[in-house]
Amino acid sequence: MSNNTQPDITAQRPRYELLDGLRGVAAVLVIWYHFFEGFATSAVDQMINHGYLAVDFFFVLSGFVLGYAYDAPMRSHRLSTGSFIVRRIIRLQPLVVLSVLLGAAAYLLQGSVRWDGTPVPLHQVLTALLLGLFMIPVLPGAGAEVRGNGEMFPLNGPGWSLFFEYIGSIIYATVLYRLGRRALACITVAAALCLAYTAFGNMSGAYHLGVGWSMADYGFWGGFSRLVFSFSAGLLIQRYFKPRHIKGAFWLCSALLCAILACPYVGSSTEPSVLNAVYDIVCTIFIFPAIVWLGACGTTTDRTSTRLCNFLGSISYPVYIVHYPVMYLFYAWVWTGNRNFAEVWPVCAGLFVLIIFMAWCAMRFYDTPVRRYLTERLKKERTT
């Protein structure tokens, strides 16, 4: 996810407010995807079924925005690889730390047990906490894999995509920014073929791209292939991008995102189908890059839409990274009481509002001031 407060070296460049807003729309949909995950018995009957594709959309956005902000200063050597990585750490890590701490608190509140009820010693929880703070993934079956379902980051599941975001930033800062458009296009095409292999090879077991959150089986391959294609595609779009005025781009793109992510499982209502792999690949390889291009072509034309996009953009990353500790407690409550959605939808509505409020508070009172402090500290160190 991109920085909402651009570094000084890129401060003179205008922001793509619509892209900020679209990131927020996708993040909000992820909340509801995860709510319904608590009532699913398989990937086939999961409601808001394709919410996992939001991560692929985020990666396309990252490629586009990072290329827009940093290609020129990186190529002109006004910004070094090390300085770029430090800026990415300042942007991403404060909320990673907060989310892991919240995840640890939620885990202890839940009773410090795995999903099957097995008690977990405190030292294993502390190990998971330490690994999560430094974005070190947990291997399946390890003691620190405290929930017992194979998550890379068992105290805050969505941390897996930030792990790959860091990998993408490193690859960009060492390789991708140097490449010309033709070489980048070749990488994007090769990555698209790898992504198709991930989907059609049924690495998820359900012919979908919802992989990468675990190191088990083909998890790392799946997450890496999703990152490399989407990030490279976003960067390639930016390299060729020539803006055209498209009226109503935000509403059009938002409607497309909602339709794509909420689409039911494709091809069958009872068992995995290769048609769903076709859907995921078409959306990821063709539609998401098109949405980013459309969003970059649009502009906000009134105060209301500008404020909406700014608000959605500002809370998008906090919403995504801090909401899952709430989900862990919600799942435990639903499953232990054998509750269904018809019974608990008012609770979901209340928690949705709470998550948005939590995200805003995290952004306003923690993330923004911490990043400002770290950025100023970095400037002082460079001038002394």
Side-chain angles (χ1 to χ4, degrees):
M1 292 188 163
S2 63
N3 195 342
N4 292 320
T5 305
Q6 295 289 353
D8 290 347
I9 203 166
T10 59
Q12 71 275 16
R13 307 202 72 180
R15 284 169 49 196
Y16 286 105
E17 292 173 329
L18 262 68
L19 296 184
D20 288 342
L22 293 175
R23 186 187 303 108
V25 170
V28 167
L29 288 169
V30 168
I31 298 176
W32 286 101
Y33 168 71
H34 284 145
F35 273 136
F36 286 114
E37 196 171 41
F39 306 95
T41 61
S42 70
V44 173
D45 66 0
Q46 161 79 0
M47 296 184 67
I48 306 191
N49 194 278
H50 292 83
Y52 54 84
L53 291 178
V55 172
D56 302 270
F57 180 68
F58 292 147
F59 287 155
V60 178
L61 280 175
S62 286
F64 184 95
V65 174
L66 290 182
Y68 172 73
Y70 292 107
D71 267 3
M74 292 286 286
R75 288 179 167 182
S76 64
H77 304 292
R78 289 182 291 135
L79 184 67
S80 68
T81 295
S83 295
F84 171 81
I85 297 300
V86 169
R87 289 166 187 259
R88 294 303 289 158
I89 292 172
I90 290 174
R91 174 63 189 112
L92 299 174
Q93 199 61 23
L95 280 174
V96 167
V97 170
L98 177 63
S99 69
V100 175
L101 293 173
L102 290 174
Y107 187 76
L108 294 174
L109 283 173
Q110 188 185 327
S112 192
V113 295
R114 301 185 191 276
W115 288 123
D116 62 3
T118 305
V120 175
L122 180 61
H123 74 272
Q124 292 184 353
V125 181
L126 294 177
T127 302
L129 173 63
L130 184 64
L131 293 174
L133 291 174
F134 289 95
M135 294 301 292
I136 301 172
V138 177
L139 296 176
E145 207 275 280
V146 294
R147 293 193 181 273
N149 62 345
E151 288 175 290
M152 277 189 188
F153 300 97
L155 296 180
N156 188 39
W160 74 268
S161 62
L162 272 297
F163 171 74
F164 283 108
E165 181 78 17
Y166 270 124
I167 292 176
S169 295
I170 293 169
I171 294 174
Y172 170 77
T174 55
V175 178
L176 294 182
Y177 86 89
R178 306 171 187 269
L179 299 181
R181 293 190 292 189
R182 184 173 299 177
L184 184 60
C186 290
I187 289 176
T188 304
V189 171
L193 295 175
C194 292
L195 191 69
Y197 178 74
T198 300
F200 293 112
N202 197 22
M203 292 184 182
S204 68
Y207 289 109
H208 65 65
L209 285 177
V211 292
W213 55 271
S214 173
M215 297 290 280
D217 299 324
Y218 301 100
F220 183 85
W221 164 271
F224 188 71
S225 63
R226 295 173 74 183
L227 164 75
V228 174
F229 168 74
S230 296
F231 192 94
S232 299
L235 187 58
L236 187 65
I237 294 167
Q238 190 276 325
R239 296 273 178 88
Y240 281 96
F241 182 69
K242 293 182 179 180
R244 298 180 182 180
H245 177 68
I246 297 179
K247 188 175 182 180
F250 174 72
W251 305 109
L252 173 61
C253 293
S254 296
L256 284 172
L257 274 178
C258 290
I260 289 168
L261 301 187
C263 179
Y265 191 86
V266 178
S268 174
S269 60
T270 58
E271 59 185 18
S273 170
V274 71
L275 292 178
N276 196 76
V278 175
Y279 178 86
D280 281 9
I281 287 299
V282 169
C283 290
T284 304
I285 293 180
F286 300 105
I287 301 181
F288 285 161
I291 289 176
V292 170
W293 181 84
L294 286 170
C297 286
T299 57
T300 56
T301 57
D302 58 86
R303 183 176 298 180
T304 300
S305 60
T306 299
R307 287 178 174 176
L308 177 61
C309 286
N310 286 338
F311 175 74
L312 288 172
S314 67
I315 67 166
S316 59
Y317 178 39
V319 160
Y320 180 76
I321 200 62
V322 306
H323 81 282
Y324 214 63
V326 176
M327 293 297 169
Y328 285 129
L329 295 174
F330 174 73
Y331 294 155
W333 175 70
V334 167
W335 296 341
T336 55
N338 197 27
R339 297 173 172 91
N340 58 49
F341 183 73
E343 295 176 290
V344 306
W345 70 263
V347 176
C348 293
L351 289 177
F352 175 75
V353 175
L354 174 64
I355 289 168
I356 298 298
F357 180 69
M358 283 175 54
W360 181 84
C361 288
M363 178 271 297
R364 177 68 175 80
F365 300 111
Y366 169 72
D367 186 48
T368 299
V370 168
R371 288 193 290 116
R372 184 183 298 120
Y373 168 78
L374 293 174
T375 301
E376 291 300 323
R377 180 76 177 267
L378 183 64
K379 288 180 183 177
K380 288 180 181 178
E381 290 182 355
R382 286 176 175 173
T383 56
T384 55

